[in-house]
């Protein structure tokens, strides 16, 4: 009988020890993975990384097929505007009416993702011109950039101004002004940096 009691006591002690280990393990695990209101959500971070990758791919594809350069050159030199009527001088409800704008609307607009497009130019890209402004980005907004080189002999793509060149606008032989000044030597007009900022609505 004493041997049986000893075994029972041993089993009881083992059960208590196991229970304590489980409680300690669970407590440690909960503390290690605690999520507070200030903690960054893993799913949000994944979504932001995905949106940045999509925006980067869109810029690369648009640059490769020429749509990005066409969008940069869609400028009304007399109204000084990306839009045809100059009021406002940028787009606010989606992308411009060209291949680049269609790609933006298809990729982001149809998925309720807002976007802004800004063009940095000048010797050190210190000047910025807005192409699309859909509002103020949220805290989870992400940015993608792409550099496009424009040459002096590049023609505008705005309907009615297809014969105007950047060199002609710069020296006054074509009417109006381009939003960026000639900031490079030789045949290069400027190295423009296109910035897309995207965020979920």
């Amino acid at each position: 009988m004493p041997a049986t009691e000893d075994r029972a006591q041993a089993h009881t002690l083992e059960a208590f020890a196991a229970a304590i280990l489980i409680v300690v393990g669970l407590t440690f695990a909960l503390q290690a993975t605690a999520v507070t209101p200030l903690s960054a959500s893993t799913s949000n971070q994944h979504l932001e990384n995905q949106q940045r990758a999509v925006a980067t791919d869109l810029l690369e594809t648009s640059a490769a097929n020429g749509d990005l350069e066409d969008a940069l050159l869609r400028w009304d030199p007399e109204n000084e505007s990306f839009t045809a009527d100059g009021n406002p001088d940028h787009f606010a409800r989606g992308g411009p009416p060209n291949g680049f704008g269609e790609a933006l609307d298809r990729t982001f607009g149809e998925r309720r993702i807002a976007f802004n497009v800004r063009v940095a130019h000048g010797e050190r890209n210190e000047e910025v011109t807005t192409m699309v402004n859909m509002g103020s980005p949220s805290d989870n907004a992400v940015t993608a950039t792409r550099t496009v080189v424009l040459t002096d002999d590049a023609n505008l793509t705005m309907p009615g101004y297809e014969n105007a060149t950047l060199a002609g606008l710069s020296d006054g032989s074509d009417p109006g002004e381009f939003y960026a000044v000639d900031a490079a030597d030789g045949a290069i007009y400027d190295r423009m940096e296109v910035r897309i900022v995207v965020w979920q609505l």
Side-chain angles (χ1 to χ4, degrees), residues 85-128:
D85 58 7
N87 186 27
D89 60 1
H90 60 270
F91 297 93
R93 300 190 179 194
N98 49 39
F100 178 56
E102 290 169 7
L104 286 168
D105 292 339
R106 185 173 58 250
T107 304
F108 299 118
E110 294 177 4
R111 296 163 50 200
R112 291 190 54 76
I113 298 174
F115 55 87
N116 290 339
V117 180
R118 290 185 167 78
V119 184
H121 47 88
E123 290 185 8
R124 285 177 287 278
N125 287 339
E126 69 278 3
E127 301 294 330
V128 178

Side-chain angles (χ1 to χ4, degrees), residues 19-180:
I20 290 171
L21 285 174
I22 290 172
V23 170
V24 170
L26 286 173
T27 302
F28 177 77
L30 288 173
Q31 288 178 346
T33 60
V35 177
T36 69
L38 297 177
S39 300
S41 167
T42 303
S43 61
N44 283 347
Q45 186 63 49
H46 175 72
L47 185 62
E48 290 169 17
N49 291 341
Q50 186 179 42
Q51 289 176 350
R52 182 181 291 108
V54 170
T56 299
D57 289 345
L58 186 151
L59 283 172
E60 290 178 357
T61 302
S62 296
N65 64 22
D67 285 347
L68 194 53
E69 180 176 341
D70 286 348
L72 291 173
L73 292 167
R74 189 186 192 280
W75 178 256
D76 182 332
E78 294 186 282
N79 289 319
E80 298 186 10
S81 168
F82 279 110
T83 63
D85 58 7
N87 186 27
D89 60 1
H90 60 270
F91 297 93
R93 300 190 179 194
N98 49 39
F100 178 56
E102 290 169 7
L104 286 168
D105 292 339
R106 185 173 58 250
T107 304
F108 299 118
E110 294 177 4
R111 296 163 50 200
R112 291 190 54 76
I113 298 174
F115 55 87
N116 290 339
V117 180
R118 290 185 167 78
V119 184
H121 47 88
E123 290 185 8
R124 285 177 287 278
N125 287 339
E126 69 278 3
E127 301 294 330
V128 178
T129 302
T130 298
M131 181 186 294
V132 180
N133 185 10
M134 296 181 70
S136 299
S138 65
D139 292 338
N140 63 343
V142 297
T143 303
T145 62
R146 176 78 184 197
T147 299
V148 178
V149 176
L150 296 183
T151 57
D152 290 335
D153 61 355
N155 288 74
L156 297 185
T157 58
M158 176 67 78
Y161 294 96
E162 294 92 338
N163 293 326
T165 65
L166 296 183
L169 293 172
S170 181
D171 64 19
S173 57
D174 287 320
E177 293 183 1
F178 194 56
Y179 58 92

